[in-house]
Amino acid sequence: METKISKILLIGADGQLGTDLVKVLTKDYELLCPSLAKLDITHFEKVKEYVNQNFPDLIINTAAFHQTDECEKNPEKSFLVNTFAVKNLAEICRERNIPLVHISTDYVFGLDEKRKTPYIEEDLPGPVNIYGISKLAGEYCIRYTLEKYFIIRPAALFGIAGPKGKKYNFVELMLYLAKEKGKVRVKNDEWTSPTYTKELAENIAELIKTDKYGIYHMTSQGECSWYEFAKKIFELTNTKVNLKPVSSEEFPTIAKRPKYSVLENKHLKDIGLDKMSHWEDALKKYLKEKGHI
Ligand SMILES: NC(=O)c1ccc[n+]([C@@H]2O[C@H](COP(=O)([O-])OP(=O)(O)OC[C@H]3O[C@@H](n4cnc5c(N)ncnc54)[C@H](OP(=O)(O)O)[C@@H]3O)[C@@H](O)[C@H]2O)c1
């Protein structure tokens, strides 16, 4: 049975994923897209007031505090944005009996350092940093509050708009470093599934037409190390660069990263809605659309 939705509140609409969601959803729905200045999800009462005055049929939350090292330095803000603001959204959705679509992350996994096979939705999470812990706590706040929710876990996003709060997404950072420095060092012992926000947005749009609520892994097919991802970017764009693989020990960061956080889109496959491409094809599409090739 399909749920009738006509008006959507999209939080984080000018972000990397949000920009693509606007493009995809705008033809079928009336969209409410308040900026952060207009609606900060950490102002709990204001969010409630906004929803009660604008009565959306569904809320999509892409907003997060996701600069991983900054999260480690500022756990209070991490839990405020990624957990308590999400709990508030879930409570508002329960009061109004509307579904919540919440964007989580592959970083809810990573504790098992020997893992070499993709995680499915039934696997027990185990984050390795404050960002992942606060996002996982946000997921649990939704799950104990609401029945009608879609928790979406993507990974390593790249999109035309680029992430807010960071200067570049990974693809643009690699191309920038190659141009400016001529040599780049990238970790070859951390594995992920780079995911194009346009495809992610398209897949989310299909999922919300259903009432198959639950947790969904939503990443590209296949996996690669960040080094392999960089290598493919340079290969496809014909960029001449001195690219060197390094270990995470040689590349220390404030927050620990998962060695392996590759996801399998099992729940999407189960309902016949896994339309995500292989990461190399998604990368080619992005590079073409961004004008790099
Ligand atoms: N980027 C990745 O590689 C990655 C990987 C896995 C999962 N994710 C998850 O995917 C989601 C989307 O990521 P993204 O790359 O699209 O992020 P993004 O570009 O940073 O966009 C986030 C949006 O949320 C807004 N926002 C931030 N704090 C807010 C607040 N307190 N209240 C209201 N709005 C707020 C931002 O507003 P401003 O524009 O004004 O700052 C921005 O528009 C996040 O939930 C993230 O945790 C991301």
Side-chain angles (χ1 to χ4, degrees), residues 63-121:
F65 180 41
H66 62 87
Q67 290 82 357
T68 312
D69 289 333
E70 293 305 310
C71 289
E72 209 68 18
K73 290 193 265 177
N74 196 344
E76 289 81 6
K77 183 173 173 190
S78 303
F79 282 94
L80 180 61
V81 180
N82 298 336
T83 308
F84 296 116
V86 175
K87 177 174 182 284
N88 185 53
L89 286 172
E91 285 164 357
I92 293 169
C93 287
R94 186 184 57 197
E95 276 164 31
R96 298 200 64 86
N97 191 27
I98 59 171
L100 175 64
V101 180
H102 174 67
I103 312 304
S104 187
T105 173
D106 59 319
Y107 273 26
V108 298
F109 295 109
L111 209 51
D112 177 0
E113 295 213 336
K114 297 202 165 56
R115 181 94 183 192
K116 292 273 181 282
T117 53
Y119 288 98
I120 59 170
E121 291 84 347

Short mmCIF file of all heavy atoms in Angstrom, two decimals, residues 63-121:
data_model
loop_
_atom_site.label_atom_id
_atom_site.label_comp_id
_atom_site.label_asym_id
_atom_site.label_seq_id
_atom_site.Cartn_x
_atom_site.Cartn_y
_atom_site.Cartn_z
N ALA A 63 20.26 17.11 7.76
CA ALA A 63 21.18 17.94 8.55
C ALA A 63 21.99 17.10 9.53
O ALA A 63 21.49 16.15 10.10
CB ALA A 63 20.37 19.00 9.32
N ALA A 64 23.24 17.48 9.69
CA ALA A 64 24.09 16.77 10.65
C ALA A 64 25.31 17.63 10.97
O ALA A 64 25.64 18.54 10.21
CB ALA A 64 24.57 15.45 10.05
N PHE A 65 25.92 17.31 12.08
CA PHE A 65 27.27 17.85 12.37
C PHE A 65 28.19 16.68 12.03
O PHE A 65 28.24 15.70 12.77
CB PHE A 65 27.34 18.24 13.85
CG PHE A 65 28.67 18.80 14.28
CD1 PHE A 65 29.39 19.68 13.47
CD2 PHE A 65 29.21 18.46 15.51
CE1 PHE A 65 30.62 20.19 13.88
CE2 PHE A 65 30.44 18.97 15.93
CZ PHE A 65 31.13 19.83 15.11
N HIS A 66 28.83 16.75 10.85
CA HIS A 66 29.50 15.54 10.36
C HIS A 66 30.98 15.73 10.03
O HIS A 66 31.58 14.88 9.38
CB HIS A 66 28.75 14.96 9.15
CG HIS A 66 28.68 15.87 7.96
ND1 HIS A 66 29.66 15.92 7.02
CD2 HIS A 66 27.75 16.76 7.58
CE1 HIS A 66 29.34 16.80 6.10
NE2 HIS A 66 28.18 17.34 6.41
N GLN A 67 31.57 16.85 10.48
CA GLN A 67 33.02 16.99 10.31
C GLN A 67 33.64 16.12 11.40
O GLN A 67 33.71 16.54 12.57
CB GLN A 67 33.45 18.45 10.43
CG GLN A 67 33.00 19.35 9.28
CD GLN A 67 31.57 19.83 9.42
OE1 GLN A 67 30.87 19.48 10.36
NE2 GLN A 67 31.12 20.63 8.48
N THR A 68 34.09 14.94 11.00
CA THR A 68 34.42 13.88 11.97
C THR A 68 35.42 14.32 13.04
O THR A 68 35.23 14.03 14.23
CB THR A 68 34.95 12.64 11.20
OG1 THR A 68 34.03 12.39 10.14
CG2 THR A 68 35.03 11.43 12.08
N ASP A 69 36.46 15.04 12.65
CA ASP A 69 37.44 15.48 13.66
C ASP A 69 36.86 16.55 14.57
O ASP A 69 37.13 16.57 15.78
CB ASP A 69 38.72 16.01 12.97
CG ASP A 69 39.51 14.87 12.33
OD1 ASP A 69 39.41 13.73 12.81
OD2 ASP A 69 40.22 15.13 11.34
N GLU A 70 36.05 17.43 13.99
CA GLU A 70 35.39 18.47 14.81
C GLU A 70 34.44 17.84 15.83
O GLU A 70 34.31 18.30 16.96
CB GLU A 70 34.62 19.46 13.92
CG GLU A 70 35.51 20.31 13.02
CD GLU A 70 36.57 21.07 13.80
OE1 GLU A 70 36.21 21.74 14.78
OE2 GLU A 70 37.76 20.98 13.43
N CYS A 71 33.76 16.77 15.41
CA CYS A 71 32.83 16.07 16.31
C CYS A 71 33.60 15.52 17.52
O CYS A 71 33.13 15.58 18.66
CB CYS A 71 32.15 14.90 15.60
SG CYS A 71 30.94 15.41 14.38
N GLU A 72 34.80 15.00 17.25
CA GLU A 72 35.61 14.42 18.32
C GLU A 72 35.98 15.51 19.34
O GLU A 72 36.02 15.28 20.54
CB GLU A 72 36.88 13.81 17.71
CG GLU A 72 37.45 12.65 18.48
CD GLU A 72 36.58 11.40 18.47
OE1 GLU A 72 35.69 11.27 17.61
OE2 GLU A 72 36.81 10.55 19.35
N LYS A 73 36.24 16.73 18.82
CA LYS A 73 36.63 17.84 19.70
C LYS A 73 35.43 18.43 20.42
O LYS A 73 35.57 19.10 21.43
CB LYS A 73 37.30 18.95 18.86
CG LYS A 73 38.67 18.57 18.34
CD LYS A 73 39.40 19.78 17.81
CE LYS A 73 39.25 19.95 16.34
NZ LYS A 73 39.84 21.10 15.72
N ASN A 74 34.23 18.23 19.86
CA ASN A 74 33.03 18.87 20.40
C ASN A 74 31.87 17.88 20.51
O ASN A 74 30.88 17.95 19.76
CB ASN A 74 32.66 20.04 19.47
CG ASN A 74 31.70 21.00 20.12
OD1 ASN A 74 31.06 20.67 21.13
ND2 ASN A 74 31.55 22.17 19.54
N PRO A 75 32.00 16.94 21.46
CA PRO A 75 30.95 15.91 21.58
C PRO A 75 29.58 16.50 21.93
O PRO A 75 28.56 15.99 21.48
CB PRO A 75 31.44 15.01 22.72
CG PRO A 75 32.75 15.51 23.15
CD PRO A 75 33.11 16.74 22.39
N GLU A 76 29.57 17.62 22.69
CA GLU A 76 28.28 18.23 23.08
C GLU A 76 27.49 18.62 21.83
O GLU A 76 26.31 18.30 21.70
CB GLU A 76 28.48 19.47 23.96
CG GLU A 76 28.99 19.18 25.37
CD GLU A 76 30.50 18.96 25.42
OE1 GLU A 76 31.18 19.14 24.38
OE2 GLU A 76 31.00 18.57 26.49
N LYS A 77 28.17 19.29 20.89
CA LYS A 77 27.48 19.71 19.67
C LYS A 77 27.08 18.48 18.84
O LYS A 77 26.00 18.45 18.24
CB LYS A 77 28.37 20.66 18.85
CG LYS A 77 27.66 21.18 17.63
CD LYS A 77 28.43 22.24 16.88
CE LYS A 77 27.72 22.57 15.56
NZ LYS A 77 28.49 23.41 14.67
N SER A 78 27.95 17.47 18.81
CA SER A 78 27.64 16.26 18.04
C SER A 78 26.34 15.64 18.53
O SER A 78 25.47 15.29 17.73
CB SER A 78 28.74 15.20 18.20
OG SER A 78 29.95 15.73 17.83
N PHE A 79 26.23 15.49 19.86
CA PHE A 79 25.02 14.86 20.39
C PHE A 79 23.80 15.78 20.29
O PHE A 79 22.69 15.31 20.09
CB PHE A 79 25.24 14.37 21.83
CG PHE A 79 26.01 13.09 21.86
CD1 PHE A 79 27.40 13.08 22.01
CD2 PHE A 79 25.37 11.86 21.69
CE1 PHE A 79 28.12 11.90 21.98
CE2 PHE A 79 26.07 10.67 21.68
CZ PHE A 79 27.46 10.68 21.82
N LEU A 80 24.04 17.08 20.36
CA LEU A 80 22.92 18.02 20.22
C LEU A 80 22.30 17.91 18.82
O LEU A 80 21.09 17.74 18.66
CB LEU A 80 23.39 19.45 20.49
CG LEU A 80 22.32 20.53 20.39
CD1 LEU A 80 21.19 20.29 21.41
CD2 LEU A 80 22.92 21.92 20.60
N VAL A 81 23.16 17.99 17.79
CA VAL A 81 22.65 17.98 16.39
C VAL A 81 22.27 16.57 15.93
O VAL A 81 21.22 16.36 15.34
CB VAL A 81 23.71 18.58 15.42
CG1 VAL A 81 23.19 18.57 13.99
CG2 VAL A 81 24.12 19.98 15.84
N ASN A 82 23.15 15.61 16.21
CA ASN A 82 22.98 14.28 15.61
C ASN A 82 22.10 13.35 16.44
O ASN A 82 21.66 12.30 15.94
CB ASN A 82 24.35 13.61 15.42
CG ASN A 82 25.25 14.39 14.48
OD1 ASN A 82 24.76 15.15 13.64
ND2 ASN A 82 26.56 14.22 14.60
N THR A 83 21.86 13.69 17.71
CA THR A 83 21.05 12.81 18.56
C THR A 83 19.79 13.53 19.08
O THR A 83 18.68 13.16 18.72
CB THR A 83 21.87 12.30 19.77
OG1 THR A 83 23.10 11.75 19.30
CG2 THR A 83 21.10 11.24 20.54
N PHE A 84 20.00 14.57 19.90
CA PHE A 84 18.83 15.15 20.58
C PHE A 84 17.90 15.90 19.62
O PHE A 84 16.69 15.85 19.76
CB PHE A 84 19.29 16.04 21.74
CG PHE A 84 19.99 15.23 22.80
CD1 PHE A 84 21.33 15.44 23.10
CD2 PHE A 84 19.32 14.20 23.45
CE1 PHE A 84 21.98 14.65 24.04
CE2 PHE A 84 19.97 13.41 24.39
CZ PHE A 84 21.30 13.63 24.68
N ALA A 85 18.48 16.56 18.61
CA ALA A 85 17.61 17.24 17.62
C ALA A 85 16.83 16.19 16.82
O ALA A 85 15.69 16.43 16.42
CB ALA A 85 18.46 18.10 16.69
N VAL A 86 17.44 15.04 16.61
CA VAL A 86 16.78 13.96 15.87
C VAL A 86 15.66 13.35 16.73
O VAL A 86 14.57 13.04 16.24
CB VAL A 86 17.83 12.88 15.45
CG1 VAL A 86 17.17 11.69 14.79
CG2 VAL A 86 18.88 13.51 14.53
N LYS A 87 15.94 13.22 18.03
CA LYS A 87 14.90 12.74 18.96
C LYS A 87 13.70 13.68 18.93
O LYS A 87 12.55 13.24 18.86
CB LYS A 87 15.49 12.67 20.37
CG LYS A 87 14.52 12.23 21.46
CD LYS A 87 15.27 12.07 22.78
CE LYS A 87 14.36 11.59 23.90
NZ LYS A 87 13.49 12.65 24.42
N ASN A 88 13.97 14.98 18.92
CA ASN A 88 12.88 15.96 18.87
C ASN A 88 12.08 15.81 17.57
O ASN A 88 10.84 15.83 17.59
CB ASN A 88 13.49 17.37 18.97
CG ASN A 88 12.45 18.46 19.05
OD1 ASN A 88 11.57 18.41 19.90
ND2 ASN A 88 12.52 19.43 18.15
N LEU A 89 12.78 15.63 16.45
CA LEU A 89 12.07 15.45 15.17
C LEU A 89 11.19 14.20 15.21
O LEU A 89 10.05 14.20 14.74
CB LEU A 89 13.08 15.31 14.02
CG LEU A 89 13.80 16.58 13.57
CD1 LEU A 89 14.90 16.25 12.56
CD2 LEU A 89 12.80 17.57 12.94
N ALA A 90 11.73 13.14 15.80
CA ALA A 90 10.97 11.88 15.89
C ALA A 90 9.71 12.09 16.74
O ALA A 90 8.63 11.61 16.40
CB ALA A 90 11.84 10.78 16.48
N GLU A 91 9.86 12.83 17.84
CA GLU A 91 8.69 13.08 18.71
C GLU A 91 7.62 13.91 17.98
O GLU A 91 6.43 13.63 18.08
CB GLU A 91 9.13 13.78 20.00
CG GLU A 91 9.82 12.79 20.94
CD GLU A 91 10.62 13.48 22.05
OE1 GLU A 91 10.69 14.73 22.06
OE2 GLU A 91 11.18 12.75 22.89
N ILE A 92 8.09 14.89 17.21
CA ILE A 92 7.14 15.73 16.43
C ILE A 92 6.41 14.85 15.41
O ILE A 92 5.18 14.95 15.24
CB ILE A 92 7.90 16.89 15.73
CG1 ILE A 92 8.44 17.86 16.78
CG2 ILE A 92 7.03 17.60 14.72
CD1 ILE A 92 9.43 18.88 16.24
N CYS A 93 7.15 13.98 14.75
CA CYS A 93 6.54 13.10 13.74
C CYS A 93 5.53 12.16 14.40
O CYS A 93 4.46 11.88 13.83
CB CYS A 93 7.60 12.29 13.01
SG CYS A 93 8.55 13.29 11.86
N ARG A 94 5.86 11.67 15.59
CA ARG A 94 4.91 10.78 16.29
C ARG A 94 3.63 11.54 16.63
O ARG A 94 2.53 11.05 16.38
CB ARG A 94 5.55 10.22 17.57
CG ARG A 94 4.65 9.17 18.24
CD ARG A 94 5.23 8.68 19.54
NE ARG A 94 5.46 9.79 20.46
CZ ARG A 94 6.23 9.73 21.54
NH1 ARG A 94 6.86 8.61 21.84
NH2 ARG A 94 6.40 10.77 22.31
N GLU A 95 3.79 12.77 17.15
CA GLU A 95 2.60 13.56 17.51
C GLU A 95 1.70 13.81 16.31
O GLU A 95 0.49 13.81 16.41
CB GLU A 95 3.02 14.92 18.09
CG GLU A 95 3.35 14.85 19.58
CD GLU A 95 4.11 16.08 20.05
OE1 GLU A 95 3.91 17.18 19.50
OE2 GLU A 95 4.95 15.92 20.97
N ARG A 96 2.33 14.03 15.13
CA ARG A 96 1.53 14.35 13.94
C ARG A 96 1.21 13.11 13.10
O ARG A 96 0.57 13.22 12.06
CB ARG A 96 2.27 15.37 13.07
CG ARG A 96 2.51 16.70 13.76
CD ARG A 96 2.78 17.79 12.76
NE ARG A 96 1.62 18.04 11.92
CZ ARG A 96 0.62 18.86 12.23
NH1 ARG A 96 0.64 19.52 13.36
NH2 ARG A 96 -0.40 19.00 11.41
N ASN A 97 1.73 11.97 13.54
CA ASN A 97 1.53 10.70 12.82
C ASN A 97 2.01 10.79 11.36
O ASN A 97 1.31 10.40 10.43
CB ASN A 97 0.05 10.29 12.87
CG ASN A 97 -0.12 8.85 12.38
OD1 ASN A 97 0.81 8.04 12.47
ND2 ASN A 97 -1.29 8.54 11.83
N ILE A 98 3.21 11.34 11.19
CA ILE A 98 3.81 11.40 9.84
C ILE A 98 5.17 10.68 9.88
O ILE A 98 5.80 10.60 10.93
CB ILE A 98 4.00 12.87 9.35
CG1 ILE A 98 4.90 13.68 10.31
CG2 ILE A 98 2.64 13.55 9.14
CD1 ILE A 98 5.30 15.05 9.78
N PRO A 99 5.63 10.20 8.72
CA PRO A 99 6.92 9.49 8.71
C PRO A 99 8.13 10.44 8.74
O PRO A 99 8.03 11.57 8.28
CB PRO A 99 6.92 8.73 7.37
CG PRO A 99 5.56 8.90 6.78
CD PRO A 99 4.96 10.11 7.40
N LEU A 100 9.22 9.92 9.26
CA LEU A 100 10.50 10.64 9.27
C LEU A 100 11.51 9.88 8.42
O LEU A 100 11.68 8.66 8.59
CB LEU A 100 11.03 10.76 10.71
CG LEU A 100 12.42 11.39 10.88
CD1 LEU A 100 12.44 12.85 10.42
CD2 LEU A 100 12.87 11.30 12.35
N VAL A 101 12.15 10.60 7.50
CA VAL A 101 13.27 10.02 6.74
C VAL A 101 14.52 10.65 7.32
O VAL A 101 14.65 11.89 7.31
CB VAL A 101 13.16 10.37 5.24
CG1 VAL A 101 14.33 9.77 4.47
CG2 VAL A 101 11.84 9.91 4.66
N HIS A 102 15.40 9.84 7.83
CA HIS A 102 16.60 10.39 8.48
C HIS A 102 17.85 9.80 7.84
O HIS A 102 17.94 8.59 7.62
CB HIS A 102 16.57 10.05 9.98
CG HIS A 102 17.83 10.46 10.68
ND1 HIS A 102 18.20 11.78 10.85
CD2 HIS A 102 18.83 9.72 11.22
CE1 HIS A 102 19.36 11.83 11.48
NE2 HIS A 102 19.76 10.60 11.71
N ILE A 103 18.80 10.69 7.52
CA ILE A 103 20.04 10.22 6.89
C ILE A 103 21.08 9.93 7.97
O ILE A 103 21.50 10.83 8.71
CB ILE A 103 20.60 11.27 5.88
CG1 ILE A 103 19.50 11.77 4.93
CG2 ILE A 103 21.77 10.66 5.11
CD1 ILE A 103 18.76 10.72 4.13
N SER A 104 21.47 8.68 8.04
CA SER A 104 22.49 8.28 9.01
C SER A 104 23.81 8.04 8.25
O SER A 104 24.09 8.76 7.29
CB SER A 104 22.02 7.05 9.78
OG SER A 104 22.93 6.76 10.81
N THR A 105 24.57 7.06 8.62
CA THR A 105 25.92 6.92 8.04
C THR A 105 26.46 5.49 8.17
O THR A 105 26.06 4.75 9.08
CB THR A 105 26.88 7.89 8.77
OG1 THR A 105 28.22 7.64 8.33
CG2 THR A 105 26.86 7.72 10.28
N ASP A 106 27.41 5.17 7.30
CA ASP A 106 28.15 3.89 7.43
C ASP A 106 29.05 3.92 8.66
O ASP A 106 29.49 2.87 9.13
CB ASP A 106 29.00 3.64 6.17
CG ASP A 106 30.01 4.76 5.92
OD1 ASP A 106 29.65 5.95 6.09
OD2 ASP A 106 31.16 4.46 5.56
N TYR A 107 29.33 5.12 9.21
CA TYR A 107 30.21 5.23 10.37
C TYR A 107 29.57 4.70 11.66
O TYR A 107 30.17 4.80 12.72
CB TYR A 107 30.68 6.68 10.55
CG TYR A 107 31.92 7.03 9.75
CD1 TYR A 107 32.24 6.34 8.58
CD2 TYR A 107 32.78 8.04 10.15
CE1 TYR A 107 33.37 6.67 7.85
CE2 TYR A 107 33.91 8.37 9.43
CZ TYR A 107 34.20 7.68 8.27
OH TYR A 107 35.33 8.01 7.56
N VAL A 108 28.35 4.16 11.58
CA VAL A 108 27.81 3.45 12.75
C VAL A 108 28.51 2.10 12.90
O VAL A 108 28.34 1.41 13.90
CB VAL A 108 26.27 3.25 12.69
CG1 VAL A 108 25.55 4.58 12.65
CG2 VAL A 108 25.85 2.36 11.52
N PHE A 109 29.32 1.72 11.89
CA PHE A 109 30.11 0.48 11.96
C PHE A 109 31.60 0.81 12.04
O PHE A 109 31.98 1.96 11.83
CB PHE A 109 29.86 -0.37 10.70
CG PHE A 109 28.46 -0.88 10.58
CD1 PHE A 109 27.60 -0.36 9.62
CD2 PHE A 109 27.99 -1.89 11.41
CE1 PHE A 109 26.31 -0.84 9.49
CE2 PHE A 109 26.69 -2.37 11.30
CZ PHE A 109 25.84 -1.84 10.33
N GLY A 110 32.40 -0.21 12.28
CA GLY A 110 33.84 -0.02 12.21
C GLY A 110 34.64 -0.63 13.35
O GLY A 110 35.85 -0.78 13.27
N LEU A 111 33.93 -1.01 14.43
CA LEU A 111 34.63 -1.51 15.61
C LEU A 111 35.39 -2.82 15.34
O LEU A 111 36.46 -3.04 15.89
CB LEU A 111 33.60 -1.72 16.74
CG LEU A 111 34.08 -1.59 18.17
CD1 LEU A 111 34.82 -0.28 18.39
CD2 LEU A 111 32.87 -1.67 19.12
N ASP A 112 34.82 -3.63 14.45
CA ASP A 112 35.46 -4.90 14.10
C ASP A 112 36.55 -4.63 13.05
O ASP A 112 36.27 -4.53 11.86
CB ASP A 112 34.39 -5.86 13.56
CG ASP A 112 35.00 -7.19 13.11
OD1 ASP A 112 36.24 -7.35 13.22
OD2 ASP A 112 34.23 -8.05 12.65
N GLU A 113 37.79 -4.53 13.50
CA GLU A 113 38.87 -4.13 12.59
C GLU A 113 39.27 -5.24 11.62
O GLU A 113 40.02 -5.00 10.67
CB GLU A 113 40.08 -3.66 13.39
CG GLU A 113 39.77 -2.40 14.17
CD GLU A 113 40.96 -1.48 14.32
OE1 GLU A 113 42.10 -1.96 14.25
OE2 GLU A 113 40.72 -0.27 14.55
N LYS A 114 38.80 -6.47 11.89
CA LYS A 114 39.19 -7.59 11.00
C LYS A 114 38.14 -7.82 9.92
O LYS A 114 38.30 -8.66 9.04
CB LYS A 114 39.36 -8.86 11.82
CG LYS A 114 40.49 -8.74 12.83
CD LYS A 114 41.00 -10.12 13.24
CE LYS A 114 42.33 -10.05 13.94
NZ LYS A 114 42.34 -9.19 15.11
N ARG A 115 37.03 -7.09 9.99
CA ARG A 115 35.90 -7.29 9.07
C ARG A 115 36.35 -7.10 7.61
O ARG A 115 37.06 -6.15 7.29
CB ARG A 115 34.81 -6.27 9.41
CG ARG A 115 33.59 -6.39 8.56
CD ARG A 115 32.57 -7.25 9.20
NE ARG A 115 31.42 -7.42 8.35
CZ ARG A 115 30.26 -7.94 8.74
NH1 ARG A 115 30.10 -8.33 9.97
NH2 ARG A 115 29.27 -8.08 7.89
N LYS A 116 35.87 -8.01 6.75
CA LYS A 116 36.23 -7.89 5.33
C LYS A 116 35.02 -8.09 4.43
O LYS A 116 35.15 -8.14 3.21
CB LYS A 116 37.29 -8.97 4.95
CG LYS A 116 38.65 -8.78 5.57
CD LYS A 116 39.53 -7.86 4.71
CE LYS A 116 40.91 -7.66 5.29
NZ LYS A 116 40.97 -6.72 6.41
N THR A 117 33.83 -8.25 5.03
CA THR A 117 32.62 -8.46 4.21
C THR A 117 31.60 -7.37 4.54
O THR A 117 31.51 -6.92 5.69
CB THR A 117 31.99 -9.84 4.49
OG1 THR A 117 31.78 -9.96 5.91
CG2 THR A 117 32.85 -10.97 3.99
N PRO A 118 30.82 -6.95 3.53
CA PRO A 118 29.90 -5.82 3.75
C PRO A 118 28.90 -6.06 4.88
O PRO A 118 28.44 -7.18 5.09
CB PRO A 118 29.17 -5.73 2.40
CG PRO A 118 30.10 -6.33 1.42
CD PRO A 118 30.82 -7.42 2.14
N TYR A 119 28.58 -4.99 5.57
CA TYR A 119 27.59 -5.05 6.66
C TYR A 119 26.19 -5.01 6.08
O TYR A 119 25.90 -4.23 5.16
CB TYR A 119 27.75 -3.84 7.58
CG TYR A 119 28.98 -3.87 8.45
CD1 TYR A 119 30.13 -3.18 8.09
CD2 TYR A 119 28.99 -4.57 9.66
CE1 TYR A 119 31.26 -3.18 8.91
CE2 TYR A 119 30.11 -4.58 10.48
CZ TYR A 119 31.25 -3.89 10.09
OH TYR A 119 32.36 -3.90 10.91
N ILE A 120 25.29 -5.83 6.63
CA ILE A 120 23.88 -5.72 6.29
C ILE A 120 23.16 -5.06 7.47
O ILE A 120 23.75 -4.87 8.54
CB ILE A 120 23.25 -7.10 5.95
CG1 ILE A 120 23.38 -8.06 7.13
CG2 ILE A 120 23.85 -7.67 4.68
CD1 ILE A 120 22.58 -9.35 6.96
N GLU A 121 21.89 -4.71 7.25
CA GLU A 121 21.15 -3.94 8.24
C GLU A 121 20.99 -4.69 9.56
O GLU A 121 20.84 -4.08 10.61
CB GLU A 121 19.77 -3.55 7.69
CG GLU A 121 19.78 -2.53 6.55
CD GLU A 121 20.02 -3.11 5.17
OE1 GLU A 121 20.41 -4.30 5.05
OE2 GLU A 121 19.81 -2.39 4.18
#
